[in-house]
Structure formats: C-alpha cells, structure tokens
Amino acid sequence: MNNILTVDGPSGVGKGSVARIIAQEQNWHLLDSGAIYRAFALAVDSRGIDITDEGSLETVAQELDLEFKTEKDSELVSVYLDGVDVSKTLRTEQTGEMASKIASIGVVRAALLKRQQDFAKPPGLVADGRDMGTTVFPDAKFKVFLTASAQERANRRLKQLQAQGYKGIISQILADVVARDERDSSRKHSPLKPAEDALVIDTTELSIDEVITRVSDLIKA
Ligand code: DC
C-alpha cells in the first residue's frame, strides 16, 4: 500500500490542517504522527520514567494504549491514552516540548515505527510529521515538505492560541519555534529534512487554500 501522501515540515507550518483537509478530500486515512510522540511523552511523564532509562522507554512505547476516535458529527479527532481523553493536554506547548526531547531517542523512534506504519491501509493515507517521507514511508507515492519562516510560523501559532482564547507572547513563541526547529533538525535519528523526492513548498506567502491546491495538483498529476 503506497497510496500515501507524506506531509513533513517544522512545527507551526500548518501540516496538520493541510493533512486533514487533503485526507477529507481524498477520503483517505490520516496519521498525525506528532500526536503519537506527544501521547508517548505524556505516558512517560505520568509514569515518572527517567528519559535516560532506555529499557523502560521501550517498554512504554511497545505497550502504549493509544486510540484515535473521530467524534460523532464532527471532524475532530480525540486522542485517548490509557482510556482517558488527553486531546487538550496533548496540544500544549509543554507537551510539544517534551515530545520533541523524547523523540530524539533512537529506541523510542524504533519502537514507535511499526505503530505508525500500521496506519497505511486502503484506499490511502495522509501522514504528517517530521520523517514520514524519509523514514516511515520512504516508498510513498506523494511527498511534500512544507516550510515557512520562523517569524511567520510564530505569528500563525499566536493567532491559533488567540482563537482558542489563550494569550501568547510573540517573542516567547518565536523563541520556542526556533528552539524546536534546532532540536528536531539536528538530532541523529531521523532528523527533520525533506525527502529527496519531496515537493518543497514555502508557505510563508501562501494561504492555506493555495497550499491545498498545490498538494491536490500533485496527487492529480
Ligand atoms: O508535529 P508536532 O508538533 O505535534 O510534534 C511534536 C514533536 O514530536 C516534534 O517537535 C518532534 C516530534 N515528532 C517527531 O520527532 N517525528 C514525527 N514524525 C512527528 C513528531
């Protein structure tokens, strides 16, 4: 099953929205791989596991009780960890930060690999993350890599927070974005980088509709 679109890129670039809309358009399955790393980070944190204890990390990864449920009459996907809805906690900056740290550990990536690959089912899959096109689905038929300036991504994140009723400080958000880019790109295992055969789209000056059109055109072509 290589009827797969991979959508990789740095944090705050809009991968999640693009992946969700294309999956709906095509009627394909959706994999939010960042949610798996985030849920894993929450599981490790709640069990009080030391992140240098690779044996325990591997066990938690293998036993991770994780479920994605599409809510009735809604396009929202809720995430259940150990039977508890963790969708809200999952999206916080703090969880993202923990996920980014823990995702740099090789045994963690290896233990979570198959769980991600299992999402590839007919009629197709849209997978978003950092290494979908390079490591998890190297044979995917369609690959895009989205970029945008760090300033633009921080602005988008601020708007997103404000829309959810939160306040944000742009300088702090920008510093977080830059720190996360640095960690995700410089790690040894599956660093954030475009696959050689990916279409790279700089979205700094593009609307979400324009990005969707380019990605849809790639699939049609
Ligand atoms: O996409 P996101 O912000 O939900 O991802 C949270 C962190 O998880 C990200 O900073 C790095 C890690 N991650 C990863 O290493 N590989 C992926 N395929 C997806 C996420």
Side-chain angles (χ1 to χ4, degrees), residues 176-220:
D176 290 347
V177 162
V178 171
R180 192 116 74 90
D181 283 0
E182 168 60 22
R183 190 176 314 109
D184 293 347
S185 314
S186 63
R187 68 181 177 220
K188 186 167 145 215
H189 307 281
S190 299
L192 167 69
K193 65 167 188 203
E196 274 173 21
D197 49 351
L199 169 70
V200 178
I201 306 175
D202 184 343
T203 71
T204 308
E205 308 279 335
L206 300 180
S207 68
I208 179 104
D209 287 347
E210 288 169 316
V211 180
I212 296 292
T213 303
R214 291 196 193 186
V215 179
S216 300
D217 287 349
L218 174 76
I219 297 176
K220 280 182 212 140

Side-chain angles (χ1 to χ4, degrees), residues 11 15 32-35 37-38 91 96 99-100 103 109 116 128-132 180 184 187:
S11 57
K15 303 181 297 288
D32 172 1
S33 62
Y37 283 98
R38 284 170 183 259
R91 291 287 142 223
S100 169
R109 303 202 74 83
Q116 296 170 76
D128 103 62
R130 304 291 187 289
D131 61 342
M132 299 296 100
R180 192 116 74 90
D184 293 347
R187 68 181 177 220

Side-chain angles (χ1 to χ4, degrees), residues 102-204:
I102 223 159
S104 65
I105 302 168
V107 294
V108 170
R109 303 202 74 83
L112 293 176
L113 183 65
K114 183 165 181 303
R115 188 181 286 267
Q116 296 170 76
Q117 290 171 333
D118 285 346
F119 277 76
K121 292 197 181 111
L125 174 71
V126 182
D128 103 62
R130 304 291 187 289
D131 61 342
M132 299 296 100
T134 52
T135 306
V136 182
F137 302 110
D139 298 328
K141 221 186 268 177
F142 316 104
K143 298 182 183 180
V144 293
F145 188 91
L146 306 182
T147 63
S149 69
Q151 183 67 54
E152 174 60 20
R153 286 183 284 126
N155 292 344
R156 289 178 191 173
R157 181 74 188 130
L158 179 65
K159 277 197 196 137
Q160 212 177 40
L161 285 174
Q162 288 170 340
Q164 293 163 353
Y166 297 109
K167 286 195 181 121
I169 303 166
I170 189 71
S171 57
Q172 183 59 52
I173 297 175
L174 180 60
D176 290 347
V177 162
V178 171
R180 192 116 74 90
D181 283 0
E182 168 60 22
R183 190 176 314 109
D184 293 347
S185 314
S186 63
R187 68 181 177 220
K188 186 167 145 215
H189 307 281
S190 299
L192 167 69
K193 65 167 188 203
E196 274 173 21
D197 49 351
L199 169 70
V200 178
I201 306 175
D202 184 343
T203 71
T204 308

